[in-house]
Short mmCIF file of all heavy atoms in Angstrom, two decimals:
data_model
loop_
_atom_site.label_atom_id
_atom_site.label_comp_id
_atom_site.label_asym_id
_atom_site.label_seq_id
_atom_site.Cartn_x
_atom_site.Cartn_y
_atom_site.Cartn_z
N SER A 101 -2.32 -6.68 -7.48
CA SER A 101 -1.07 -6.41 -6.77
C SER A 101 -0.32 -7.74 -6.64
O SER A 101 -0.90 -8.81 -6.85
CB SER A 101 -1.46 -5.83 -5.41
OG SER A 101 -0.45 -5.96 -4.48
N TYR A 144 2.25 8.66 -8.79
CA TYR A 144 2.05 7.24 -8.49
C TYR A 144 1.77 6.55 -9.82
O TYR A 144 1.15 7.14 -10.72
CB TYR A 144 0.83 7.04 -7.57
CG TYR A 144 1.09 7.39 -6.13
CD1 TYR A 144 0.28 8.29 -5.45
CD2 TYR A 144 2.16 6.81 -5.44
CE1 TYR A 144 0.52 8.62 -4.13
CE2 TYR A 144 2.41 7.13 -4.10
CZ TYR A 144 1.59 8.03 -3.46
OH TYR A 144 1.83 8.35 -2.16
N PHE A 149 -1.65 -1.04 -10.49
CA PHE A 149 -1.38 -0.49 -9.15
C PHE A 149 -2.47 0.52 -8.80
O PHE A 149 -2.89 1.30 -9.65
CB PHE A 149 0.00 0.18 -9.17
CG PHE A 149 0.40 0.84 -7.90
CD1 PHE A 149 0.40 0.15 -6.70
CD2 PHE A 149 0.81 2.18 -7.88
CE1 PHE A 149 0.77 0.76 -5.51
CE2 PHE A 149 1.20 2.80 -6.71
CZ PHE A 149 1.18 2.08 -5.52
N THR A 150 -2.90 0.48 -7.54
CA THR A 150 -4.02 1.35 -7.15
C THR A 150 -3.64 2.82 -6.95
O THR A 150 -4.52 3.68 -6.89
CB THR A 150 -4.62 0.84 -5.81
OG1 THR A 150 -3.55 0.75 -4.86
CG2 THR A 150 -5.31 -0.50 -5.97
N GLY A 151 -2.33 3.08 -6.80
CA GLY A 151 -1.90 4.44 -6.44
C GLY A 151 -2.32 5.49 -7.45
O GLY A 151 -2.90 6.52 -7.08
N PHE A 220 2.83 11.27 0.51
CA PHE A 220 3.75 10.17 0.23
C PHE A 220 3.31 8.89 0.91
O PHE A 220 2.93 8.89 2.08
CB PHE A 220 5.15 10.54 0.73
CG PHE A 220 5.69 11.82 0.16
CD1 PHE A 220 6.07 12.87 1.00
CD2 PHE A 220 5.81 11.98 -1.21
CE1 PHE A 220 6.57 14.06 0.47
CE2 PHE A 220 6.31 13.16 -1.75
CZ PHE A 220 6.69 14.20 -0.90
N GLY A 221 3.41 7.78 0.18
CA GLY A 221 3.04 6.49 0.78
C GLY A 221 3.41 5.35 -0.13
O GLY A 221 4.26 5.51 -1.02
N ALA A 222 2.80 4.22 0.09
CA ALA A 222 3.00 2.96 -0.65
C ALA A 222 4.23 2.20 -0.20
O ALA A 222 4.48 1.10 -0.68
CB ALA A 222 3.03 3.18 -2.17
N GLU A 223 5.01 2.77 0.69
CA GLU A 223 6.20 2.09 1.22
C GLU A 223 6.54 2.71 2.57
O GLU A 223 6.16 3.86 2.85
CB GLU A 223 7.37 2.25 0.25
CG GLU A 223 7.81 3.71 0.10
CD GLU A 223 8.89 3.92 -0.95
OE1 GLU A 223 9.20 2.96 -1.67
OE2 GLU A 223 9.41 5.04 -1.04
N PRO A 224 7.29 1.98 3.41
CA PRO A 224 7.64 2.55 4.72
C PRO A 224 8.64 3.70 4.55
O PRO A 224 9.49 3.65 3.67
CB PRO A 224 8.32 1.38 5.45
CG PRO A 224 8.11 0.18 4.63
CD PRO A 224 7.77 0.61 3.24
N TRP A 225 8.49 4.71 5.37
CA TRP A 225 9.48 5.79 5.41
C TRP A 225 9.58 6.29 6.83
O TRP A 225 8.86 5.80 7.71
CB TRP A 225 9.19 6.88 4.37
CG TRP A 225 7.83 7.54 4.40
CD1 TRP A 225 6.62 6.93 4.29
CD2 TRP A 225 7.55 8.94 4.50
NE1 TRP A 225 5.61 7.86 4.31
CE2 TRP A 225 6.15 9.10 4.43
CE3 TRP A 225 8.35 10.09 4.61
CZ2 TRP A 225 5.54 10.35 4.50
CZ3 TRP A 225 7.73 11.33 4.66
CH2 TRP A 225 6.35 11.45 4.61
N ASP A 243 1.99 11.54 5.26
CA ASP A 243 2.04 10.08 5.12
C ASP A 243 0.63 9.58 4.79
O ASP A 243 -0.31 9.84 5.55
CB ASP A 243 2.53 9.49 6.46
CG ASP A 243 2.95 8.04 6.35
OD1 ASP A 243 2.83 7.46 5.26
OD2 ASP A 243 3.41 7.49 7.38
N ILE A 244 0.51 8.88 3.67
CA ILE A 244 -0.78 8.29 3.30
C ILE A 244 -0.62 6.77 3.22
O ILE A 244 0.39 6.29 2.73
CB ILE A 244 -1.33 8.88 1.98
CG1 ILE A 244 -2.75 8.36 1.71
CG2 ILE A 244 -0.42 8.59 0.79
CD1 ILE A 244 -3.50 9.15 0.64
N TYR A 245 -1.61 6.06 3.75
CA TYR A 245 -1.51 4.60 3.83
C TYR A 245 -2.68 3.94 3.11
O TYR A 245 -3.79 4.49 3.07
CB TYR A 245 -1.52 4.18 5.31
CG TYR A 245 -1.67 2.69 5.55
CD1 TYR A 245 -0.61 1.82 5.32
CD2 TYR A 245 -2.88 2.16 6.00
CE1 TYR A 245 -0.76 0.46 5.54
CE2 TYR A 245 -3.03 0.79 6.22
CZ TYR A 245 -1.95 -0.05 5.99
OH TYR A 245 -2.09 -1.40 6.20
N GLY A 246 -2.41 2.77 2.60
CA GLY A 246 -3.50 1.99 2.03
C GLY A 246 -2.97 0.71 1.45
O GLY A 246 -1.76 0.50 1.37
N LEU A 247 -3.88 -0.17 1.06
CA LEU A 247 -3.48 -1.43 0.43
C LEU A 247 -4.59 -1.88 -0.50
O LEU A 247 -5.77 -1.60 -0.25
CB LEU A 247 -3.14 -2.50 1.48
CG LEU A 247 -4.19 -2.95 2.48
CD1 LEU A 247 -3.74 -4.27 3.11
CD2 LEU A 247 -4.36 -1.93 3.58
N SER A 248 -4.18 -2.55 -1.56
CA SER A 248 -5.13 -2.94 -2.60
C SER A 248 -6.29 -3.74 -2.02
O SER A 248 -7.44 -3.53 -2.39
CB SER A 248 -4.44 -3.80 -3.66
OG SER A 248 -3.18 -3.34 -3.95
N GLU A 249 -5.96 -4.70 -1.16
CA GLU A 249 -6.99 -5.61 -0.67
C GLU A 249 -8.14 -4.85 0.00
O GLU A 249 -9.28 -5.31 -0.01
CB GLU A 249 -6.40 -6.58 0.37
CG GLU A 249 -5.37 -7.56 -0.20
CD GLU A 249 -3.95 -7.00 -0.20
OE1 GLU A 249 -3.77 -5.77 -0.32
OE2 GLU A 249 -3.01 -7.81 -0.08
N GLY A 252 -7.00 0.51 -1.65
CA GLY A 252 -5.91 1.23 -2.32
C GLY A 252 -5.48 2.36 -1.40
O GLY A 252 -5.75 2.30 -0.18
N PRO A 253 -4.86 3.42 -1.92
CA PRO A 253 -4.48 4.53 -1.04
C PRO A 253 -5.72 5.17 -0.43
O PRO A 253 -6.79 5.13 -1.05
CB PRO A 253 -3.79 5.51 -1.99
CG PRO A 253 -4.31 5.18 -3.35
CD PRO A 253 -4.55 3.70 -3.33
N GLY A 254 -5.57 5.75 0.78
CA GLY A 254 -6.71 6.45 1.37
C GLY A 254 -7.40 5.66 2.46
O GLY A 254 -8.48 6.03 2.91
N LEU A 265 -1.75 8.70 11.51
CA LEU A 265 -2.61 8.68 10.31
C LEU A 265 -4.04 8.36 10.74
O LEU A 265 -4.29 7.32 11.35
CB LEU A 265 -2.13 7.60 9.33
CG LEU A 265 -0.75 7.81 8.69
CD1 LEU A 265 0.35 7.24 9.59
CD2 LEU A 265 -0.66 7.11 7.35
N THR A 310 -3.23 -7.50 7.51
CA THR A 310 -2.40 -6.70 6.61
C THR A 310 -0.92 -7.06 6.67
O THR A 310 -0.18 -6.75 5.76
CB THR A 310 -2.50 -5.19 6.94
OG1 THR A 310 -1.91 -4.98 8.23
CG2 THR A 310 -3.94 -4.71 6.93
N ASP A 312 1.03 -5.51 8.36
CA ASP A 312 1.69 -4.25 8.69
C ASP A 312 1.70 -4.06 10.20
O ASP A 312 0.66 -4.22 10.86
CB ASP A 312 0.96 -3.07 8.03
CG ASP A 312 1.16 -3.07 6.52
OD1 ASP A 312 2.29 -3.35 6.08
OD2 ASP A 312 0.19 -2.80 5.79
N ILE A 333 3.76 3.05 9.71
CA ILE A 333 4.05 1.62 9.50
C ILE A 333 5.54 1.52 9.24
O ILE A 333 6.03 2.01 8.21
CB ILE A 333 3.30 1.08 8.27
CG1 ILE A 333 1.84 1.47 8.29
CG2 ILE A 333 3.57 -0.41 8.07
CD1 ILE A 333 0.87 0.57 8.84
N ARG A 336 6.90 -4.94 8.48
CA ARG A 336 5.85 -5.92 8.27
C ARG A 336 6.21 -7.19 9.03
O ARG A 336 7.36 -7.41 9.38
CB ARG A 336 5.70 -6.24 6.78
CG ARG A 336 5.18 -5.07 5.97
CD ARG A 336 5.09 -5.44 4.51
NE ARG A 336 4.36 -6.66 4.26
CZ ARG A 336 3.04 -6.76 4.06
NH1 ARG A 336 2.29 -5.67 4.07
NH2 ARG A 336 2.46 -7.92 3.83
N MET A 340 7.51 -9.59 2.86
CA MET A 340 7.25 -8.78 1.67
C MET A 340 8.19 -7.58 1.64
O MET A 340 8.36 -6.88 2.63
CB MET A 340 5.79 -8.29 1.65
CG MET A 340 5.42 -7.59 0.36
SD MET A 340 3.69 -7.09 0.34
CE MET A 340 3.82 -5.39 0.90
N ILE A 342 9.22 -3.90 -0.32
CA ILE A 342 8.60 -2.89 -1.18
C ILE A 342 9.74 -2.16 -1.89
O ILE A 342 10.59 -1.53 -1.26
CB ILE A 342 7.71 -1.94 -0.37
CG1 ILE A 342 6.67 -2.75 0.41
CG2 ILE A 342 7.01 -0.95 -1.30
CD1 ILE A 342 5.67 -1.95 1.20
N GLY A 345 8.07 1.19 -4.46
CA GLY A 345 6.61 1.18 -4.31
C GLY A 345 5.95 -0.12 -4.75
O GLY A 345 4.76 -0.31 -4.58
N ASN A 347 5.34 -4.16 -4.53
CA ASN A 347 5.47 -5.25 -3.55
C ASN A 347 6.16 -6.45 -4.18
O ASN A 347 5.75 -6.89 -5.25
CB ASN A 347 4.10 -5.68 -3.05
CG ASN A 347 3.33 -4.52 -2.47
OD1 ASN A 347 3.91 -3.48 -2.18
ND2 ASN A 347 2.04 -4.69 -2.31
O1 DLL B 501 0.68 0.63 -1.87
C1 DLL B 501 -1.56 1.55 -1.98
C2 DLL B 501 -1.00 2.91 -1.84
C3 DLL B 501 -0.75 3.67 -2.98
C4 DLL B 501 -0.82 3.47 -0.58
C5 DLL B 501 -0.28 4.96 -2.85
C6 DLL B 501 -0.36 4.76 -0.43
C7 DLL B 501 -0.09 5.52 -1.58
P1 DLL B 501 -0.31 -2.17 -2.28
O2 DLL B 501 0.52 -2.14 -3.51
O3 DLL B 501 -1.35 -3.21 -2.16
O4 DLL B 501 -1.08 -0.81 -2.11
O5 DLL B 501 0.69 -2.25 -1.05
C8 DLL B 501 0.20 -2.21 0.26
O6 DLL B 501 2.23 -1.17 1.05
O7 DLL B 501 0.33 -3.29 3.19
C9 DLL B 501 2.10 -1.61 3.36
O8 DLL B 501 2.98 -2.69 3.66
C10 DLL B 501 2.73 -0.71 2.30
N1 DLL B 501 2.35 0.69 2.50
C11 DLL B 501 1.38 1.39 1.89
N2 DLL B 501 1.37 2.67 2.35
C12 DLL B 501 2.34 2.75 3.31
C13 DLL B 501 2.81 3.79 4.17
C14 DLL B 501 -0.51 0.44 -1.99
N3 DLL B 501 2.31 5.02 4.16
C15 DLL B 501 1.32 -2.27 1.26
N4 DLL B 501 3.80 3.46 5.04
C16 DLL B 501 0.84 -2.09 2.68
C17 DLL B 501 4.33 2.23 5.09
C18 DLL B 501 2.96 1.48 3.40
N5 DLL B 501 3.95 1.23 4.28
#
Side-chain angles (χ1 to χ4, degrees):
S101 159
Y144 284 126
F149 177 54
T150 54
F220 304 122
E223 64 185 8
W225 56 302
D243 194 358
I244 186 165
Y245 170 75
L247 61 163
S248 320
E249 294 87 330
L265 294 86
T310 67
D312 290 319
I333 311 266
R336 293 178 52 89
M340 187 178 95
I342 305 183
N347 304 345

